[in-house]
Amino acid sequence: MKKIYIVTCVSMLFLNLSAQFEKGNLLIDGSFNWNGGSYDGIRNVYYEEYDNIKSKSNSYTIAPSFGYFVSESLLVGIGISYKYSTSRSEYKEEWYSDYYNRIIEEEMGNVEKNRLFLFNPYVTKYHKLGEKLYFNYTFNLLIGSGSETGYYYSYPINDEDIKYTYYSHDDPIDIFEFGANITPGLTYFLNDKFAVNCNIGQIYYVKNIRKPAEGYNKPETTNENFGMNLDLNTFMLGFQYYIR
């Protein structure tokens, strides 16, 4: 299994004093997160096990935010996030067709796409560890909605006499999501104008409600997850520029 993670973050802080936070300072922050992965092997698809699965996935998140220092060590802010992800799985299957009176080998696959908009109020607390180094932790609330769409396809291969393509669209799903997390980090001042901020890991709670779009008759499902996540995809490196 292969995975690739690219995470970038660009920030601007409007401060009065270098390497210090003061009440009234402003923070304009923006981040971009891209994840990509691939998988070859065994996987269950529509409750059946296939041993020749090839899967690819991509996702990205764009998240601008704005913060205000209410004291020398406390930042309150608000942000928005747009998340988009897509995944594709391909596999092969052989089956006997009574109509064609032969064994048919098919290339099969399914594609899923997810879109999610989130509203993100947050609070960040800073603790000075040294002249240029700060420890911080951020409490985030995430509230938003989105959608999921997908389709399944199949077509015969290695047979010049049989030509067809079958498509089956999944019912669209509306998504509502609520979450909260606490994320630790470090901020280090390189000089009077530049600083580096990094975050990894989080304690989180997420509630996800999925229901069919209007006009589709399927049951609503609710999933709740909470715990601690130290995966690589929680890592974020931020470069901050100070304007005085």
Side-chain angles (χ1 to χ4, degrees):
M1 185 175 182
K2 301 176 182 177
K3 285 188 177 180
I4 301 172
Y5 300 99
I6 295 178
V7 182
T8 59
C9 181
V10 180
S11 304
M12 275 190 173
L13 281 170
F14 297 85
L15 297 178
N16 296 323
L17 299 175
S18 64
Q20 292 182 5
F21 304 118
E22 288 193 345
K23 182 179 179 180
N25 295 160
L26 303 177
L27 169 63
I28 297 176
D29 195 3
S31 65
F32 175 80
N33 183 330
W34 177 81
N35 297 331
S38 62
Y39 174 87
D40 294 341
I42 299 174
R43 179 169 292 178
N44 289 323
V45 179
Y46 294 114
Y47 307 104
E48 294 187 32
E49 186 177 273
Y50 295 86
D51 60 0
N52 54 1
I53 289 284
K54 292 185 178 181
S55 299
K56 292 183 179 180
S57 62
N58 289 283
S59 67
Y60 67 83
T61 302
I62 300 173
S65 62
F66 173 83
Y68 176 81
F69 280 89
V70 296
S71 71
E72 294 181 356
S73 62
L74 189 65
L75 174 75
V76 296
I78 192 168
I80 56 173
S81 297
Y82 173 69
K83 297 182 178 182
Y84 175 82
S85 65
T86 180
S87 63
R88 176 187 292 270
S89 297
E90 296 180 343
Y91 43 97
K92 295 180 176 65
E93 184 180 40
E94 291 184 350
W95 59 282
Y96 182 81
S97 169
D98 292 328
Y99 180 82
Y100 291 104
N101 194 29
R102 70 179 73 177
I103 294 176
I104 296 177
E105 184 180 12
E106 282 189 329
E107 180 85 31
M108 310 167 74
N110 65 291
V111 177
E112 290 185 357
K113 296 180 180 180
N114 287 268
R115 296 174 177 86
L116 190 64
F117 289 92
L118 293 169
F119 177 70
N120 174 210
Y122 68 92
V123 177
T124 301
K125 178 70 174 178
Y126 291 87
H127 297 275
K128 191 170 184 178
L129 301 179
E131 183 180 354
K132 298 182 178 181
L133 183 64
Y134 287 80
F135 170 75
N136 63 74
Y137 50 90
T138 300
F139 175 74
N140 293 286
L141 281 178
L142 298 163
I143 305 169
S145 62
S147 64
E148 178 183 293
T149 57
Y151 62 89
Y152 163 87
Y153 64 89
S154 65
Y155 56 87
I157 57 177
N158 302 323
D159 195 325
E160 295 295 330
D161 297 330
I162 303 176
K163 300 291 184 183
Y164 64 83
T165 301
Y166 173 78
Y167 283 96
S168 174
H169 287 268
D170 294 336
D171 293 344
I173 295 174
D174 292 331
I175 301 171
F176 172 78
E177 187 167 294
F178 170 80
N181 64 64
I182 299 175
T183 303
L186 291 172
T187 300
Y188 180 78
F189 288 86
L190 302 174
N191 53 42
D192 289 346
K193 292 186 177 181
F194 291 92
V196 177
N197 185 78
C198 67
N199 304 90
I200 188 168
Q202 58 180 215
I203 300 171
Y204 67 92
Y205 167 80
V206 178
K207 182 176 183 178
N208 185 283
I209 300 174
R210 301 161 61 86
K211 60 181 180 180
E214 186 176 352
Y216 292 87
N217 186 23
K218 278 190 175 180
E220 179 179 303
T221 61
T222 300
N223 294 309
E224 292 184 90
N225 294 290
F226 59 90
M228 181 179 294
N229 187 358
L230 297 176
D231 289 347
L232 181 61
N233 61 0
T234 65
F235 176 78
M236 183 171 289
L237 180 66
F239 298 93
Q240 300 175 334
Y241 178 64
Y242 294 80
I243 298 177
R244 293 182 291 168

